[in-house]
Amino acid sequence: MTATPQAFADADSMEALYALLDDARIGTGWNKPTPSLYPAPKREFVPAHWSYGIAKPALDAAGRYVSTELAERRNLILANPIEGNSYATARTLVAAYQMVKGGEAARSHRHTPNALRLAIDTNSEVYTIVQGEKIRMESGDVLLTPNWLWHGHSNESDRDAYWIDFLDAPLVQFLDPMFFEHHQDVVEKTNVYNPKSPMRFAYAETGARVRAAAETAPGVRWLDLKQDALSTIGLKLRHFTRGATAADPRTTANRIYAVIEGSGTLRSDDREFAWARGDVLVLPGWSPVQWWVEQEACLLLVTDAPLLEKLGWLKNEATGR
Ligand SMILES: [Fe+2]
C-alpha cells in the first residue's frame, strides 16, 4: 500500500491506517512497544562489584601475552553485567583496570572523553605524562586527563604498576562528539617533571585531609576533590571509621566507588558485595545503598552528578531535589 494523501483519506480501518503509516515510515504514539515516559528511573544497569584479587592476576596473565606495542592500553573493562552491554560500567561511565609493566610505557594519545585514574599499586617512578609534563602517580593518587589533553604513561621502575581508569566514554559514544588521535612521538618525549600539577591529587595529602574533615554522619567523612578540568565527572574521597554503617539516599547520579584501603560490605537491592582494597563497586542511578565497614576505609567516588546538576536532573530521594 502506498502512503499518498488520497490513500489516507480512503483508509477504512485501523489496519489500513497502520499499513499506510508503515509505508511512510511513521510510528504511532498510542501503541509503542515500551512507554517513552515513565514515573521513575528504569534502572536497567545493575549494582555490581569487581575484585582486585581477581583483576590483578588477570592483568599479570595479560602481561604475558599482550604488549603495549600490540595494545593501545593493557586494560580490563568492567562492563555492567546486563544483557547486550560489553563496555559501560554505568550509563555514562566506564571503569577499567590497567597494568603497565616495569620499564614499559603506554603510548600517548588524546581523546574527547574525559578520563582519570586511581593508582592502586604504583611507586614514585611511575608517571602519567599530561601535555608534556611528567606527573608522579603513587598508590592512592588520582590523576586527571581531561578532554583532548595529550596523555601517556611511563613506568620507569622495575615493578609492574596497577591502576583503575575511569572515563565518560559511554556518554561521548551516545552523544557522538568522539575524536581520538595518536601522538606523533608514540610516547610524548619530555623531561619536565611537575610536582605541583593541578592534574594530580596526591593521597599523602588528600588521605590526611579526609581524615581531618568533620563527620557528616557517625563514622563518615567526605572530601570533595574540587576540580573543573573534568566537566562531566565529580570526585570525592569517602572515609569510614572501623565498624561504621551508613544508608545512602537514592540519587539520579551514577556512582562508581574504588576502594583505596579498608574493607566492608555493601548491600543494594538484594545484592551483597564484600569489598576490599583495589575493588570497584558500581551503583547506577536510583540504587538503594547500605554500607557496613569492617576495617577503616577510604574510597574514591567517581560520579556523573556534576553533569546531571548542569542539566537540572540531579535529584536526591532524601531532599526531593
Ligand atoms: Fe586515554
Side-chain angles (χ1 to χ4, degrees):
M1 219 181 282
T2 304
T4 62
Q6 190 58 51
F8 280 106
D10 294 342
D12 57 2
S13 68
M14 193 69 122
E15 289 68 33
L17 172 58
Y18 283 143
L20 290 167
L21 285 168
D22 275 349
D23 185 59
R25 299 180 308 280
I26 296 172
T28 58
W30 61 84
N31 70 344
K32 295 190 295 290
T34 55
S36 48
L37 307 173
Y38 29 92
K42 283 186 175 177
R43 303 191 55 218
E44 289 173 338
F45 282 68
V46 295
H49 165 247
W50 292 268
S51 160
Y52 183 54
I54 293 293
K56 186 171 187 283
L59 285 169
D60 291 336
R64 295 197 291 273
Y65 303 109
V66 182
S67 71
T68 49
E69 284 86 49
L70 179 76
E72 187 72 19
R73 294 289 185 260
R74 181 191 292 115
N75 57 9
L76 302 174
I77 306 294
L78 308 185
N80 196 280
I82 55 169
E83 195 159 342
N85 178 52
S86 60
Y87 185 64
T89 307
R91 180 73 74 186
T92 57
L93 297 165
V94 64
Y97 285 102
Q98 180 169 178
M99 188 265 276
V100 173
K101 288 184 182 179
E104 198 179 54
R107 55 194 184 225
S108 296
H109 62 209
R110 63 180 177 178
H111 40 68
T112 43
N114 292 289
L116 67 123
R117 56 212 40 79
L118 170 67
I120 299 295
D121 278 321
T122 62
N123 62 70
S124 60
E125 296 174 298
V126 181
Y127 301 96
T128 285
I129 304 160
V130 184
Q131 296 286 113
E133 289 186 346
K134 287 168 72 169
I135 304 166
R136 192 168 282 166
M137 47 189 305
E138 298 191 59
S139 300
D141 292 0
V142 172
L143 291 303
L144 311 183
T145 50
N147 173 2
W148 212 236
L149 297 195
W150 293 112
H151 58 280
H153 310 290
S154 73
N155 182 351
E156 298 174 14
S157 77
D158 55 7
R159 284 161 288 160
D160 298 346
Y162 303 79
W163 62 81
I164 306 168
D165 293 302
F166 305 87
L167 294 88
D168 61 6
L171 176 69
V172 180
Q173 289 168 355
F174 176 71
L175 297 175
D176 227 13
M178 181 68 80
F179 294 92
F180 175 92
E181 272 182 10
H182 287 115
H183 197 278
Q184 60 182 9
D185 294 344
V186 183
V187 178
E188 203 175 357
K189 291 182 179 62
T190 177
N191 286 312
V192 179
Y193 167 64
N194 184 353
K196 298 239 180 258
S197 172
M199 298 301 159
R200 178 187 185 211
F201 293 89
Y203 189 57
E205 192 249 331
T206 57
R209 276 173 61 202
V210 71
R211 283 173 171 81
E215 283 183 329
T216 56
V220 179
R221 293 176 167 83
W222 289 96
L223 177 70
D224 192 343
L225 303 185
K226 291 195 175 74
Q227 50 82 27
D228 297 322
L230 309 178
S231 55
T232 59
I233 298 172
L235 302 171
K236 290 182 178 184
L237 290 189
R238 185 172 191 175
H239 179 268
F240 292 104
T241 54
R242 185 167 170 262
T245 61
D248 297 346
R250 293 177 194 235
T251 167
T252 49
N254 290 292
R255 290 162 293 177
I256 302 177
Y257 282 95
V259 184
I260 301 171
E261 52 186 313
S263 64
T265 303
L266 179 144
R267 187 178 175 84
S268 185
D269 297 325
D270 55 354
R271 295 159 203 256
E272 201 165 284
F273 308 115
W275 49 265
R277 191 181 82 87
D279 289 5
V280 173
L281 298 151
V282 61
L283 296 159
W286 223 237
S287 298
V289 187
Q290 287 178 285
W291 300 87
W292 289 271
V293 177
E294 283 157 30
Q295 294 171 337
E296 178 185 357
C298 191
L299 295 88
L300 173 69
L301 168 63
V302 180
T303 170
D304 62 6
L307 170 70
L308 289 167
E309 184 149 41
K310 280 172 198 159
L311 299 174
W313 294 323
L314 184 62
K315 186 177 168 72
N316 178 323
E317 190 179 39
T319 62
R321 289 185 291 114

